[in-house]
Amino acid sequence: MNLGYIIRRIGVFLVIMWLAATVNFVMPRLAPVNPIREKLLQAVTFGGAGKTDMERVVQVYEEKFGLNQPLWRQYLRYLGDVARLDFGVSIANFPSRVIDIIMRALPWTIGLLLLATLLAFGLGTLLGALIAWPRAPGFLNYLLAPLLTLSAVPFYLLGLILVYFLAFTFKIFPLSGGYTLGAIPKLSWSFLMDAAWHSVLPALSIILASLGTWAIGMRGMMIIGLEEDYITFAEAKGIKDRDIFLKYALRNALLPQTTALALSLGYIVSGAVLVEVVFGYPGVGTVLYRAIQTFDYFVIYGVVIILILAIGLATLVMDLLYPLLDPRITYQRH
Amino acid sequence: MATMGNWMTTLARIRQYPLLLTGIVLVLAVALFGPVASFFVDENGAKVGAAMPDQPPSLEYPLGTDTVGREILAVLVVGTPLTLRIGLIAGVIGLGIGTLFGFLAGYFGGWVDTLLKGAADVLLTVPGLLFLVVIATTLRGAVSVNMMALVVAALAWMWPTRTIRAQVLSLRERQFVLVARLSGMNGLEIIVRELMPNLLPYLAASFVSAVASAILATIGLEALGLGPQNEPTLGMTIYWALYYTSVLRGMWWWWAPPIAIIIVTFVGLFLISMGLDQIANPKLRRTA
């Protein structure tokens, strides 16, 4: 892998982060009245008991954004804060720092996403490869239509349907939340089991809804790959079917499939955010939802930047790992 | 008569593509549902307090009512066209910008290409919904249906840009373009008269996927509470159903019908885009 490629790829990552921060900086200032300031002033006017608190929030806000300073200086200062992941304090839960609120929720989101995405990707890829394989059982072909239909459904709507049938009507799974009410999050076996049990439905809605996408992509890749000369050659040599499938066809079709995974991470995360809302799952999506309900702007912007950062880092790592997965890639500039 | 004949051949050709045909039928059914049903359903029922709240489906209220006294059937009759309108406007804008960018990047190359393709690539890796959340948060409270469409359109142009650029790149090198250039056509003429007709299936496919992703984005934003608060779009209906915990209260008639319409819409659009793909890339016919 050449150094130029690595540097360019990191450059793209930095541009994305800069763009995200800039949108967050510019948007509130484009509005006729700055919504954050409005919300704070409103809170001061109406806040009875929390009045002094609110005045302190306003103070922190004015100080933080240096509203009396020239715009370019505010901007640089803002970029510096974002670089240090300092997003200020929550308006709704003063004086909690935004980054603390997000960090408490992030492990839930990452855990759910990792589990669901890896399972969906693995199962879907295998399924797609099998459907394309001429010597696989014929019934697999009938799976295609239902899988395609499911993949056209947004994750969270599928989640709603699952909750209704599997949690509300037949009380198999818990209705919502990440763990039983009253349980204290800690690293004990019983708590982990409880949390896992609560994650089944949210994970299932992500898996069912994305399985089809992976299966279709893989199927297309396999069908093209199976016509390659090396497959015919391998067959002529008398290599076992299973080995042709695994070591020749599947392996070569896998790379475009991982590229697709990197490309759709953003889409998956957006979907998962809404799945969390449906399930009241204690992850970042629910934090975002509550923040939108309470006009907690700093939390909203913080969540947006953290999620973009996480996806940016994940795709960066994947892109840098590709050449290790597949020596055909050189990344020379054409 | 000639155009009539063309129409007939087009129809005959569409029949060769069952996916496309099924997709068109599904999407047409959703699109016509609002206008047709409005003859039979009183649209005033979609207003808050129009009916008894929390009623299950009955003869009087075919799809029941919600917690603030809206008739679900009336809500869907009014809301479905609104959601489709958002998708359509955003799709048209997205395709327009995407086509322009795609042609500029693909035809002129150089720094124009670097800039436009770079912008599309960078934005594609970012979850669009998150950017839209920031935009919609700022506009909040004052969002109308048309504004919603504009917000969503802001991120609907990247895929069209990419696909069309790639096609233009390959078409540019073909013989007929060279012939056109030698016969004295300028860049714009070549784009409009030589390249455009060849790209029609791709443009149609891009348009369909732009509409689909716009509808997906708008429903997502609305489900988070960032939509037009006073309009009963499909996404806002889902939002209110979640907000009033309709699932936990067993009010399936509140959330199931809008979800059904959304699913039919997405499946339909998806089939259309697969069908168009088959027309555009005959090679795919075997694989799909």
Side-chain angles (χ1 to χ4, degrees):
Chain A
M1 184 173 10
N2 64 353
L3 196 66
Y5 168 72
I6 300 179
I7 292 172
R8 234 179 317 137
R9 189 57 191 76
I10 292 175
V12 168
F13 169 71
L14 291 178
V15 168
I16 291 174
M17 290 320 296
W18 166 79
L19 200 69
T22 304
V23 168
N24 277 359
F25 178 83
V26 171
M27 279 322 286
R29 285 167 179 77
L30 279 185
V33 283
N34 185 328
I36 307 172
R37 221 185 129 74
E38 199 73 349
K39 157 76 184 164
L40 289 173
L41 291 177
Q42 193 189 1
V44 173
T45 325
F46 292 108
K51 193 168 183 310
T52 45
D53 269 1
M54 273 308 157
E55 269 162 9
R56 276 170 59 208
V57 180
V58 176
Q59 223 174 35
V60 171
Y61 172 72
E62 304 253 319
E63 221 172 85
K64 183 165 168 44
F65 284 79
L67 286 177
N68 40 4
Q69 291 181 347
L71 205 60
W72 63 270
R73 190 168 286 174
Q74 292 178 37
Y75 179 56
L76 287 183
R77 191 166 170 173
Y78 180 78
L79 287 184
D81 284 348
V82 169
R84 282 179 287 114
L85 297 182
D86 176 3
F87 304 114
V89 293
S90 159
I91 302 172
N93 298 307
F94 189 78
S96 300
R97 293 196 315 150
V98 171
I99 189 67
D100 294 339
I101 297 178
I102 295 175
M103 282 308 162
R104 225 174 304 144
L106 203 56
W108 291 94
T109 302
I110 292 180
L112 177 67
L113 264 176
L114 258 185
L115 184 83
T117 309
L118 288 182
L119 274 175
F121 181 78
L123 284 175
T125 301
L126 195 63
L127 205 62
L130 280 173
I131 292 175
W133 184 241
R135 287 173 285 273
F139 74 89
L140 283 172
N141 272 311
Y142 295 102
L143 285 177
L144 214 53
L147 280 178
L148 272 182
T149 314
L150 279 177
S151 68
V153 184
F155 300 174
Y156 54 104
L157 296 183
L158 197 62
L160 263 178
I161 299 170
L162 288 179
V163 175
Y164 182 74
F165 285 109
L166 296 178
F168 179 79
T169 313
F170 306 101
K171 298 176 173 42
I172 305 172
F173 292 101
L175 279 166
S176 75
Y179 46 88
T180 309
L181 266 178
I184 301 145
K186 56 176 185 288
L187 275 178
S188 73
W189 179 245
S190 61
F191 180 77
L192 283 180
M193 286 312 291
D194 188 43
W197 190 238
H198 278 77
S199 316
V200 173
L201 281 190
L204 198 61
S205 33
I206 299 177
I207 294 172
L208 283 181
S210 49
L211 207 55
T213 320
W214 302 127
I216 294 305
M218 190 62 184
R219 176 174 166 271
M221 234 87 73
M222 282 287 279
I223 287 178
I224 294 167
L226 283 172
E227 285 176 1
E228 297 277 352
D229 288 341
Y230 58 78
I231 299 279
T232 323
F233 183 62
E235 278 168 356
K237 268 206 308 191
I239 290 178
K240 270 186 295 181
D241 263 5
R242 215 180 68 114
D243 283 349
I244 295 181
F245 177 72
L246 288 176
K247 294 184 186 156
Y248 287 68
L250 187 93
R251 201 163 158 219
N252 279 303
L254 215 52
L255 187 86
Q257 187 77 343
T258 32
T259 318
L261 179 63
L263 270 180
S264 37
L265 264 188
Y267 170 78
I268 298 174
V269 170
S270 309
V273 161
L274 287 151
V275 168
E276 288 185 3
V277 172
V278 167
F279 287 92
Y281 198 76
V284 180
T286 305
V287 169
L288 179 67
Y289 178 71
R290 298 238 169 88
I292 290 172
Q293 308 264 302
T294 53
F295 298 84
D296 202 340
Y297 291 101
F298 300 136
V299 176
I300 298 177
Y301 297 151
V303 168
V304 168
I305 292 211
I306 286 285
L307 284 179
I308 291 176
L309 177 70
I311 296 162
L313 277 179
T315 40
L316 177 67
V317 170
M318 286 171 90
D319 277 358
L320 292 182
L321 284 180
Y322 284 149
L324 303 179
L325 287 175
D326 189 330
R328 283 174 296 185
I329 293 186
T330 53
Y331 290 125
Q332 297 299 336
R333 233 188 218 286
H334 295 295
Chain B
M1 274 321 274
T3 42
M4 191 67 195
N6 279 342
W7 269 109
M8 294 310 282
T9 25
T10 313
L11 269 182
R13 271 190 66 190
I14 286 178
R15 285 184 54 182
Q16 292 169 6
Y17 299 96
L19 291 182
L20 184 64
L21 190 66
T22 321
I24 291 176
V25 169
L26 289 181
V27 172
L28 269 184
V30 174
L32 291 177
F33 163 68
V36 171
S38 65
F39 286 113
F40 310 102
V41 178
D42 180 9
E43 292 178 22
N44 285 321
K47 295 205 174 93
V48 171
M52 287 263 292
D54 292 334
Q55 295 301 302
S58 62
L59 276 180
E60 194 185 357
Y61 309 120
L63 284 177
T65 65
D66 70 10
T67 299
V68 291
R70 282 177 290 215
E71 286 179 54
I72 300 299
L73 183 60
V75 163
L76 296 179
V77 169
V78 178
T80 307
L82 290 179
T83 297
L84 291 182
R85 189 163 102 201
I86 294 176
L88 219 56
I89 296 176
V92 167
I93 297 175
L95 183 73
I97 301 177
T99 310
L100 182 70
F101 284 5
F103 269 108
L104 289 177
Y107 194 80
F108 293 108
W111 65 268
V112 182
D113 185 33
T114 314
L115 187 75
L116 294 175
K117 181 178 177 283
D121 280 352
V122 165
L123 283 177
L124 273 177
T125 59
V126 182
L129 189 72
L130 293 176
F131 269 126
L132 295 178
V133 162
V134 175
I135 300 174
T137 307
T138 310
L139 294 172
R140 184 165 187 183
V143 200
S144 65
V145 167
N146 290 340
M147 210 125 95
M148 200 69 195
L150 291 182
V151 170
V152 178
L155 288 181
W157 53 270
M158 287 95 73
W159 267 121
T161 302
R162 286 270 304 243
T163 11
I164 289 160
R165 171 186 170 275
Q167 288 309 316
V168 172
L169 272 185
S170 92
L171 284 177
R172 195 177 62 169
E173 306 301 330
R174 306 270 177 87
Q175 294 285 317
F176 67 89
V177 176
L178 188 68
V179 171
R181 199 174 297 145
L182 287 178
S183 66
M185 281 196 192
N186 63 29
L188 193 70
E189 272 179 305
I190 295 181
I191 287 180
V192 173
R193 298 198 14 212
E194 302 291 328
L195 297 182
M196 276 290 196
N198 282 291
L199 281 173
L200 274 180
Y202 290 97
L203 290 175
S206 297
F207 176 65
V208 171
S209 59
V211 170
S213 49
I215 294 181
L216 185 71
T218 184
I219 294 175
L221 282 180
E222 287 167 349
L224 282 170
L226 291 170
Q229 304 284 320
N230 300 320
E231 304 281 359
T233 58
L234 296 179
M236 284 316 288
T237 310
I238 303 275
Y239 171 71
W240 294 121
L242 283 174
Y243 186 86
Y244 288 108
T245 60
S246 64
V247 177
L248 309 187
R249 290 158 64 205
M251 297 169 69
W252 55 269
W253 59 88
W254 192 347
W255 53 264
I259 288 186
I261 294 182
I262 292 170
I263 291 178
V264 173
T265 312
F266 280 131
V267 171
L269 289 172
F270 183 67
L271 290 176
I272 292 181
S273 82
M274 273 182 47
L276 288 172
D277 260 354
Q278 287 180 344
I279 295 179
N281 299 315
K283 265 191 195 165
L284 276 176
R285 250 170 252 174
R286 280 170 300 119
T287 59

